[in-house]
Amino acid sequence: MADSEASTAFVTCISKDCKQQIHIPAQLKQIISALLAILFSSLLQRIASRSATSSITKHNITTTAMSSTASTSALSPLYPNVKLVPRPNTERGGADHGWLKTFHTFSFASYWDPRYMSFGNLRVINEDRVEPSEGFGTHGHREMEIFSYVVSGELEHKDSMGNLEILKRGDVQLTSAGTGIRHSEYNRNNKSIVHFLQIWAEPHTRNLRPKYFTRHFTDEEKTDKLVTIVAPIGSEGVKEEREGSGPAPVQSNVTLKSTILTPGKRVEHVFPTPASSEAQRKAYVHVIQTSGYNTNAAKGNRIRVNGGLELSEGDGSFAWGAAGEQLQIENIGTTPAEVLVFDIE
């Protein structure tokens, strides 16, 4: 996904004070949007790369303060030493641009909240729905690990490394932007919306050669199991192959797991040993909005975390835990829930 959503408001009316819309040809509109997307993307990534450390520290202080206002034992009775801070669907950023409906867990494009800049190396979780025959024009990225998780529909990915691929449900595509790439993402299907999550993580090593990876995980593989689909290079089972089995390799201290939980079933995530400078490991839980676009209070599939905190579609939660502590995720609804769990060093 590009940052072009921030610029779409300028396409039909250059000045917010104008009284009559300016009608711009579709081809010129795409060119303007693409140019604005490139400029905004470059600016955003420069800010992110220069202030990553201060942003992460600021966010951790904020969320730690937030966690102290709620009873830990009430939110996490099974593991009272695990801190949980909910991120409700209604509090996510986002916008409806007509061709694009999007939610932002962290500050992105026109959504800005200094409390939610990043979480460890996790910088972006955007849940996007792109209308048929629409998409993000060619734009650039550098020094960012970018992966797409396709929920439904078809997403065409094309980049400056010569890759051209149609991604479908179960596909995970990862671009290690390194020193710089340009790509586009389009819904070439003229009938169905594509629903996917775009995730950015800040790399632990800079000035790397750009690389492209794809992986596929079936619903059966993920049903009632917590499957690792993205993991740091060097982790068990990770292969630096363009296509293959096992998790997609990422140049960041972020691991992504996925599950499709059926009613009454549960899975556990065990907190690994934190970095030597940290007392606790971080995690983030996100319930994918599979039953339809909804900007109101979360509904649909429902899970319970650690016997206390209940989350529905679009909801999420920050979590902190010492080595060996757990996140127990249980489906307390009546339909399967698709859930992502991020482990963050």
Side-chain angles (χ1 to χ4, degrees):
M1 187 200 61
D3 309 292
S4 57
E5 59 213 64
S7 63
T8 54
F10 298 93
V11 172
T12 57
C13 189
I14 304 301
S15 169
K16 67 179 181 180
D17 298 322
C18 67
K19 296 180 181 179
Q20 184 176 3
Q21 288 191 334
I22 300 171
H23 296 286
I24 299 175
Q27 187 175 9
L28 180 57
K29 184 187 295 185
Q30 290 181 350
I31 294 172
I32 294 172
S33 295
L35 289 173
L36 289 172
I38 293 167
L39 291 172
F40 190 87
S41 178
S42 176
L43 176 62
L44 179 66
Q45 292 198 40
R46 284 177 183 273
I47 293 171
S49 63
R50 290 179 182 177
S51 62
T53 303
S54 60
S55 295
I56 293 166
T57 303
K58 196 183 301 180
H59 178 81
N60 286 342
I61 292 172
T62 302
T63 49
T64 301
M66 290 167 62
S67 66
S68 66
T69 64
S71 170
T72 301
S73 59
L75 293 179
S76 181
L78 294 180
Y79 298 93
N81 292 325
V82 172
K83 294 182 179 180
L84 299 175
V85 176
R87 183 75 162 116
N89 180 58
T90 52
E91 295 182 9
R92 288 193 291 176
D96 181 352
H97 299 293
W99 68 275
L100 167 69
K101 294 179 175 66
T102 182
F103 291 101
H104 309 311
T105 297
F106 300 103
S107 294
F108 190 87
S110 58
Y111 169 63
W112 177 267
D113 188 331
R115 297 175 301 166
Y116 301 106
M117 296 302 299
S118 58
F119 192 48
N121 286 336
L122 185 59
R123 177 63 187 85
V124 169
I125 305 175
N126 288 349
E127 187 164 359
D128 292 343
R129 288 174 173 83
V130 177
E131 292 292 317
S133 303
E134 297 284 358
F136 302 97
T138 303
H139 57 281
H141 293 285
R142 63 180 180 84
E143 304 300 356
M144 196 67 71
E145 303 292 290
I146 303 167
F147 32 113
S148 299
Y149 179 101
V150 180
V151 181
S152 62
E154 300 177 350
L155 181 69
E156 179 199 84
H157 181 276
K158 183 179 181 180
D159 66 30
S160 55
M161 294 182 282
N163 298 295
L164 175 61
E165 192 165 12
I166 302 293
L167 306 169
K168 300 180 180 180
R169 175 163 176 79
D171 287 339
V172 177
Q173 185 276 322
L174 190 149
T175 296
S176 182
T179 53
I181 59 99
R182 291 174 58 76
H183 72 172
S184 63
E185 294 140 305
Y186 269 93
N187 179 6
R188 297 297 184 187
N189 190 297
N190 60 10
K191 295 181 180 179
S192 302
I193 290 172
V194 62
H195 176 198
F196 69 107
L197 283 91
Q198 178 123 157
I199 299 150
W200 295 10
E202 294 166 346
H204 52 55
T205 305
R206 296 184 176 274
N207 297 315
L208 295 172
R209 179 169 60 89
K211 291 186 178 180
Y212 178 100
F213 304 97
T214 57
R215 298 291 186 269
H216 181 80
F217 300 89
T218 65
D219 285 2
E220 183 180 9
E221 288 178 273
K222 294 182 285 187
T223 298
D224 299 330
K225 296 180 287 291
L226 192 56
V227 179
T228 301
I229 61 175
V230 175
I233 289 176
S235 301
E236 183 179 357
V238 175
K239 303 172 185 176
E240 289 192 65
E241 300 172 353
R242 186 189 184 281
E243 299 178 5
S245 60
V250 65
Q251 297 277 3
S252 183
N253 297 321
V254 172
T255 297
L256 175 57
K257 301 179 180 183
S258 175
T259 184
I260 301 172
L261 270 182
T262 57
K265 298 295 185 178
R266 64 174 179 260
V267 293
E268 291 82 26
H269 165 71
V270 179
F271 285 91
T273 302
S276 58
S277 59
E278 302 287 339
Q280 294 179 310
R281 190 88 167 193
K282 303 177 185 69
Y284 188 81
V285 179
H286 176 74
V287 185
I288 298 175
Q289 209 178 64
T290 52
S291 65
Y293 178 71
N294 172 37
T295 59
N296 299 315
K299 58 183 181 180
N301 305 319
R302 196 162 186 82
I303 65 170
R304 181 186 291 127
V305 181
N306 284 1
L309 177 62
E310 295 186 6
L311 304 173
S312 290
E313 294 181 22
D315 289 337
S317 179
F318 300 95
W320 296 259
E325 295 282 0
Q326 293 189 29
L327 288 176
Q328 184 188 95
I329 302 169
E330 178 184 10
N331 186 334
I332 59 172
T334 58
T335 52
E338 192 161 0
V339 182
L340 300 180
V341 179
F342 296 84
D343 170 62
I344 307 153
E345 187 174 308

